[in-house]
Amino acid sequence: MAEEKLWTIESGNVVELFETDLQNGLSAGEAETRLRKYGPNTLREVRKKGALEIFFEQFKSLIVLLLAAAALLSFGFEEIVEGIAILAVILINALIGYFIEIRAVRSMEALRQLSSVDAVVRRDGKAELISADRLVPGDVVVLEGGDVVTADMRLCEASRLQVDESALTGESVPVNKITETVSADAPLAERINMLYKGTAITRGSAVAIVTASGMETELGKISSLVSEAEKGETPLEKRLDDLGKKLVYVTIGLTVIIAILGILRGKEAFLMIKTAVALAVAGIPEGLPIVATIALARGMLRMARRNALINRLASVETLGATNIICTDKTGTLTENRMTVTELWLPEGEVKLESGRFNLDGSPLDPKKDEQLFEAIKISVLCNNAALDRDDPDKSVGDPLEVALLAAGAKAGLIRDELRDKFPEKREEAFDSVEKRMATFHEDGDGFYVAVKGAPEAILDISDKIIKDGSIADFDSEEKDRWIKFNNDMALQGLRVLALANKTTADVAEDPYDNLIFTGMIALMDPPREDVRESIELCQEAGIRVIMVTGDQAPTAQTIAYQVGLTDQQDARVMPTRELVSYDTMTAEQKQDVSTVPIFARVSPAQKLDIIALHQEQGQIVAMTGDGVNDAPALKKADIGIAMGQRGTQVAREAADMVLKDDAFATIVTAIEQGRVIFNNIRRFVVYLMSCNVSEILAVAVASLANTPLPLLPLQILFLNLVTDVFPALALGVGEGDPEIMKRPSRKSSESIVEKAHWAFIGGFGVLIALTVLVAFGIAMWTLEKEYPQAVTISFLSLAFAQLFHVFNMRDSGTHPFYNSITRNRWVWGALVLCTGLLFMAVYLPGLSSVLKLTDPGMDGWLVVAVASIFPYIAGQVFRSVTKPVDRAGQK
């Protein structure tokens, strides 16, 4: 089928060729049969990393080369046991890196599975929303502006259809599409009756038949020629990688100097070379990129479980620095559960209560009341949604249009029945600029035109009105009266649509000429219950929330007050006509606009101006959007946030984050997680580096002082694998401080390790090193222990000091015994594991011999306890009396 030049064949013949039905689509059974035949509608995926590949990659590092060199030296000097021990260290290091990385990789693969593209198809005579990977040739697909084309298709119906084919053809201007045939030699870019996978509907609506899926599509053919894999390294990972490389050079330089000084002081050359290698390994935080990846992956999965899907890994760190949220109203601040509550008709206000229509408290039969019937008829015919009367939650389409169909059903006007009586012959698709749409329906010898749209858009183009049972001129005085009705409803927080109609003999006539105004219909979309609390949380966190909506100013103002976005009922609202273009704004105008809390009737282009204005002032801006025209704003914002339920596929693909539940509270949760992830990585880095500095200083001071070494090479390697890695990993995956949203945002330019953090690293590195040297000195010269016992005491003092040091990573000002560190179960697990390993190192035969450790005795354990607890006590005092060094953005 895919070999046919389908653009040369009439659409009716294409229907026959694919053995389908334009109105009913394929049956479920036939769709399954074709799915088995053609396979899923997916492109060939980039090859996944295998477990063995990930394992062997652990040996491709400078760290392993250093350890291997040490092992060779050991074997060269006939230190067989030591050489084998170093090889064991290499293997253990590789295994730790392997298990960390494979978990991160698999977590990211699982995360990608959570995000899928959907398509509306006709199956068994019903419109269904299915995953696009289940599309098969012959499926009848319904498309609207904002949809991504998910397979190659032949158009059968099209209304004002424009498609962005730049991804396929490179042509930046949207292409107008029609259903008529074109010549057989037409190049792909000129096949105006075909739709291709990977392109996007920018305007209009269509019905099309899938002609090719998966790798048989034009995009699939291209992808089979090119095999690309994204490296996927985030700015955060790059910064960590750069930091690690700098530390490599600095550490190697220092350890070489230490080795040379030790040899010059008379220490054994082989011992100093091994010590230098061990210190180099200890000083290089090789786990930085791996822990960053797993911290990001776990954080993103945590977000996904809370309905926030991150499209780009780099967005996670930006989220934590967000300080402006420009949010839509409908479905984000409100529940997006539209319900028709009343209709304003020329005869008066009709309430819809408990499924019944009432005029002045008296029941009204829609089928007997001509004006009410006409209004509901328009709202049902001029509609692209599909209502599932048995299960409304399975309805397909815009929630507003679904609500109109539900109101029609209550009036006994069923869309399918009505369209059978008045078949649709033409549609003028909804236009986000004109804010209106129209449909033409066959009615006897002529056509009935149903029009709906924003009140101001319909009032401006209506010439007549039905008054006292007859058609009258719709003069300015009468229009002013209806404008007042609209404002009254909008001030109640209601969403208002205006309705109009006409009859014509020509289906090609302009639908918006000579309209008869029919009335207005009001819908309620109540505020979400959790929005007020979330906005208060934002305000505490120093995040400013701005409403940017296409709705009317009075409606926006009312909802903003109800959800706590403003504390004034008459808060300032800036409508479209007052918003000057960013390019022409004066400095005074920019300052004025930057203080506005609510923007109403905003166009997609004006969203760009609002973003640019705040970005110019150094703000990190998150912007929500759902339409195809919102895609530029979503790309321009520092964090583009698309709606997962009502958002178009174009918007979802342009965004950095997709909300599965469209809820504002989910944005706040995602920002919180962004902050937590950044702080976790910062804690991990600070902890690991302060531990590494303490090891280097302890050996360096001993070498310079020409005293026996307080740590031996294998002991340093053991510590590097035990007391460094496991607690650091636990810090990297913690759930964070619940008070984190009560702090101001950090600056986006802020480094992972600021000056205050360097001071913390250096200070505690010196403190821990001194306690180790003091413990070693007491053991050697006060308790007069043998060298193996003295080294064991200094080894254990350093190990437990580093383990206790993890509690110094708590936020300043938090409770010393109840904080994000003490609540982290991974930290406690790491401490228990490391303590067990340390006791094994001392008392397990074989291991203790290799590490040259022995029982320190009761007095030795007392020294270890006092020495190791001292840095912890100092750290807790420090945290209680100083300003925070690990709170993002605070000084």
Side-chain angles (χ1 to χ4, degrees):
M1 293 181 185
E3 298 300 320
E4 297 279 350
K5 293 185 176 181
L6 300 171
W7 54 93
T8 67
I9 305 172
E10 293 288 343
S11 60
N13 293 334
V14 174
V15 172
E16 294 178 6
L17 180 65
F18 283 87
E19 299 178 359
T20 188
D21 184 292
L22 198 58
Q23 298 304 316
N24 297 316
L26 298 174
S27 67
E30 177 62 21
E32 284 298 323
T33 300
R34 296 191 186 190
L35 184 62
R36 287 192 293 271
K37 177 180 179 181
Y38 296 106
N41 178 35
T42 55
L43 299 181
R44 186 174 295 125
E45 295 183 355
V46 176
R47 182 182 62 85
K48 294 180 181 179
K49 275 188 178 183
L52 279 176
E53 183 181 355
I54 293 172
F55 177 73
F56 285 117
E57 281 184 353
Q58 307 308 311
F59 297 95
K60 299 176 183 177
S61 73
L62 181 60
I63 308 301
V64 173
L65 290 176
L66 288 170
L67 289 172
L72 289 174
L73 282 171
S74 297
F75 289 125
F77 284 92
E78 297 184 352
E79 296 282 350
I80 306 302
V81 173
E82 199 156 297
I84 293 172
I86 293 175
L87 291 178
V89 166
I90 293 174
L91 180 61
I92 294 169
N93 190 63
L95 286 171
I96 291 172
Y98 166 76
F99 284 115
I100 293 170
E101 186 170 346
I102 199 167
R103 182 161 187 176
V105 169
R106 297 299 179 250
S107 293
M108 293 305 302
E109 288 171 358
L111 186 67
R112 284 192 286 269
Q113 296 297 318
L114 293 174
S115 181
S116 63
V117 178
D118 297 323
V120 178
V121 300
R122 291 174 180 167
R123 295 260 177 98
D124 290 318
K126 295 171 62 179
E128 293 183 12
L129 189 67
I130 67 168
S131 177
D133 60 9
R134 298 188 65 80
L135 283 178
V136 296
D139 260 326
V140 178
V141 182
V142 181
L143 298 149
E144 292 185 355
D147 288 346
V148 170
V149 180
T150 51
D152 286 0
M153 306 179 193
R154 171 64 162 88
L155 281 170
C156 295
E157 298 175 10
S159 172
R160 301 179 70 184
L161 190 65
Q162 289 187 337
V163 181
D164 177 2
E165 294 187 332
S166 57
L168 199 61
T169 65
E171 177 58 57
S172 59
V173 179
V175 180
N176 291 311
K177 293 285 185 174
I178 57 175
T179 60
E180 283 75 10
T181 60
V182 293
S183 62
D185 59 352
L188 186 144
E190 295 177 12
R191 297 171 194 168
I192 54 177
N193 56 14
M194 297 291 295
L195 301 177
Y196 293 103
K197 184 179 178 70
T199 61
I201 309 295
T202 59
R203 183 179 182 179
S205 60
V207 175
I209 293 177
V210 175
T211 58
S213 61
M215 295 302 293
E216 295 302 314
T217 62
E218 293 295 329
L219 189 62
K221 292 171 185 175
I222 294 171
S223 70
S224 66
L225 302 176
V226 182
S227 177
E228 284 190 60
E230 294 184 9
K231 188 174 181 181
E233 193 175 43
T234 71
L236 180 63
E237 289 175 312
K238 288 177 182 176
R239 278 191 276 174
L240 286 169
D241 192 43
D242 291 341
L243 176 63
K245 287 176 180 176
K246 290 176 183 176
L247 289 173
V248 166
Y249 301 130
V250 172
T251 302
I252 290 176
L254 285 173
T255 51
V256 168
I257 292 171
I258 291 169
I260 292 171
L261 288 174
I263 293 169
L264 292 175
R265 289 281 188 170
K267 289 186 171 58
E268 186 184 343
F270 176 59
L271 175 64
M272 290 311 303
I273 291 171
K274 288 193 299 180
T275 301
V277 172
L279 284 176
V281 174
I284 299 167
E286 67 275 9
L288 286 181
I290 295 173
V291 173
T293 301
I294 196 169
L296 288 168
R298 280 185 60 82
M300 290 171 69
L301 283 169
R302 199 177 291 139
M303 289 184 202
R305 286 195 290 268
R306 299 184 186 183
N307 295 317
L309 295 178
I310 304 298
N311 285 342
R312 281 172 273 279
L313 203 61
S315 306
V316 176
E317 63 173 310
T318 310
L319 265 173
T322 300
N323 48 25
I324 295 275
I325 301 176
C326 294
T327 177
D328 191 10
K329 174 186 71 67
T330 304
T332 310
L333 301 180
T334 60
E335 292 184 359
N336 203 26
R337 292 182 180 175
M338 294 284 187
T339 305
V340 174
T341 58
E342 57 192 271
L343 296 92
W344 278 87
L345 306 174
E347 62 185 312
E349 181 184 8
V350 177
K351 298 273 190 180
L352 178 53
E353 300 167 316
S354 302
R356 303 175 73 177
F357 295 86
N358 298 313
L359 176 62
D360 297 328
S362 300
L364 202 62
D365 185 345
K367 292 187 176 180
K368 294 181 179 178
D369 186 277
E370 187 176 342
Q371 291 187 359
L372 179 58
F373 180 87
E374 202 66 30
I376 296 174
K377 176 182 172 183
I378 293 169
S379 66
V380 172
L381 287 175
C382 189
N383 197 308
N384 284 321
L387 176 68
D388 189 318
R389 297 170 66 190
D390 298 324
D391 186 355
D393 289 338
K394 293 184 179 178
S395 298
V396 177
D398 186 290
L400 182 145
E401 293 196 327
V402 171
L404 295 178
L405 294 183
K410 291 171 184 175
L413 295 181
I414 309 303
R415 182 175 182 266
D416 291 342
E417 295 175 2
L418 206 56
R419 284 203 170 182
D420 285 341
K421 188 175 180 181
F422 302 98
E424 183 177 315
K425 294 301 179 183
R426 175 188 165 196
E427 176 186 320
E428 282 289 305
F430 177 79
D431 187 284
S432 61
V433 176
E434 296 175 346
K435 298 185 183 301
R436 61 197 181 204
M437 72 172 288
T439 53
F440 286 72
H441 301 268
E442 191 175 304
D443 185 12
D445 295 332
F447 299 94
Y448 177 86
V449 183
V451 179
K452 78 174 192 293
E456 65 270 25
I458 303 303
L459 287 169
D460 284 348
I461 58 176
S462 296
D463 302 316
K464 305 289 182 179
I465 186 173
I466 297 178
K467 199 170 183 179
D468 299 327
S470 60
I471 298 175
D473 288 335
F474 198 15
D475 56 34
S476 58
E477 183 179 343
E478 185 69 16
K479 286 186 179 182
D480 288 341
R481 192 168 73 90
W482 282 95
I483 290 171
K484 182 179 182 304
F485 291 155
N486 171 50
N487 291 336
D488 289 344
M489 286 187 283
L491 285 171
Q492 297 173 46
L494 298 174
R495 180 80 177 270
V496 187
L497 286 176
L499 309 169
N501 70 350
K502 71 174 181 178
T503 56
T504 178
D506 185 3
V507 75
E509 183 179 298
D510 186 337
Y512 303 124
D513 281 345
N514 304 312
L515 286 176
I516 302 170
F517 183 78
T518 308
M520 293 179 180
I521 188 165
L523 303 95
M524 173 166 287
D525 184 13
R528 289 179 181 263
E529 292 182 358
D530 56 356
V531 166
R532 176 176 285 274
E533 182 182 349
S534 298
I535 289 178
E536 288 174 356
L537 194 61
C538 284
Q539 292 165 347
E540 277 190 274
I543 300 171
R544 186 170 164 226
V545 182
I546 300 171
M547 184 188 289
V548 181
T549 179
D551 215 333
Q552 302 182 79
T555 305
Q557 190 179 57
T558 300
I559 295 296
Y561 178 72
Q562 289 176 350
V563 300
L565 192 148
T566 66
D567 56 5
Q568 299 175 335
Q569 283 186 289
D570 59 347
R572 184 183 177 191
V573 181
M574 180 170 281
T576 298
R577 60 182 178 276
E578 294 180 19
L579 186 57
V580 181
S581 170
Y582 173 74
D583 294 331
T584 60
M585 279 186 196
T586 64
E588 292 76 13
Q589 286 174 324
K590 288 180 179 179
Q591 182 59 36
D592 178 54
V593 173
S594 69
T595 64
V596 175
I598 308 167
F599 295 87
R601 287 298 193 219
V602 178
S603 69
Q606 288 171 321
K607 284 188 175 184
L608 293 173
D609 290 342
I610 295 169
I611 294 169
L613 175 68
H614 289 290
Q615 286 178 332
E616 183 186 84
Q617 297 176 348
Q619 308 296 333
I620 304 300
V621 182
M623 170 67 81
T624 68
D626 57 10
V628 61
N629 290 327
D630 289 330
L634 294 174
K635 283 182 176 290
K636 182 173 180 60
D638 299 287
I639 293 290
I641 304 170
M643 303 299 110
Q645 293 180 344
R646 61 188 169 87
T648 60
Q649 291 173 5
V650 170
R652 292 200 292 269
E653 292 199 353
D656 302 293
M657 182 169 77
V658 177
L659 305 182
K660 290 197 292 184
D661 58 359
D662 291 8
F664 181 82
T666 302
I667 302 174
V668 181
T669 297
I671 291 174
E672 179 182 11
Q673 286 301 312
R675 290 186 175 193
V676 166
I677 290 168
F678 186 89
N679 277 6
N680 283 349
I681 293 173
R682 170 172 281 174
R683 280 196 184 107
F684 158 78
V685 172
V686 170
Y687 172 78
L688 193 62
M689 290 178 63
S690 55
C691 289
N692 292 352
V693 166
S694 68
E695 294 168 3
I696 293 173
L697 288 177
V699 175
V701 170
S703 297
L704 293 172
N706 199 26
T707 63
L709 293 179
L711 297 166
L712 297 178
L714 279 181
Q715 294 170 1
I716 295 171
L717 293 176
F718 185 84
L719 288 177
N720 195 46
L721 288 170
V722 176
T723 56
D724 286 3
V725 171
F726 294 114
L729 280 174
L731 290 173
V733 297
E735 294 189 6
D737 190 343
E739 302 291 306
I740 199 167
M741 287 299 284
K742 293 184 178 179
R743 306 167 194 162
S745 303
R746 65 177 172 84
K747 294 179 180 178
S748 61
S749 58
E750 188 175 315
S751 300
I752 296 170
V753 184
E754 296 276 272
K755 289 181 180 179
H757 303 112
W758 284 116
F760 181 92
I761 290 165
F764 275 91
V766 169
L767 182 61
I768 294 172
L770 284 176
T771 60
V772 170
L773 291 171
V774 169
F776 181 68
I778 291 172
M780 281 284 290
W781 294 290
T782 302
L783 300 179
E784 297 182 350
K785 298 279 188 180
E786 295 291 330
Y787 181 68
Q789 275 190 307
V791 168
T792 300
I793 289 170
S794 57
F795 167 83
L796 291 172
S797 297
L798 177 58
F800 282 106
Q802 290 180 346
L803 291 182
F804 291 138
H805 184 51
V806 76
F807 295 109
N808 293 335
M809 297 299 106
R810 71 177 174 92
D811 293 324
S812 296
T814 56
H815 196 280
F817 304 117
Y818 188 74
N819 51 64
S820 61
I821 307 300
T822 59
R823 289 195 306 272
N824 186 341
R825 70 181 189 277
W826 297 104
V827 165
W828 291 106
L831 294 182
V832 170
L833 175 63
C834 291
T835 301
L837 290 172
L838 288 172
F839 274 95
M840 288 172 61
V842 175
Y843 295 110
L844 184 66
L847 181 60
S848 59
S849 301
V850 170
L851 294 175
K852 297 180 181 177
L853 297 172
T854 186
D855 183 2
M858 289 300 296
D859 53 351
W861 274 113
L862 182 61
V863 172
V864 169
V866 174
S868 61
I869 204 70
F870 183 75
Y872 164 76
I873 294 171
Q876 297 307 300
V877 172
F878 175 82
R879 284 301 191 202
S880 299
V881 300
T882 59
K883 291 183 179 181
V885 297
D886 56 357
R887 291 190 187 182
Q890 285 192 322
K891 303 293 178 192

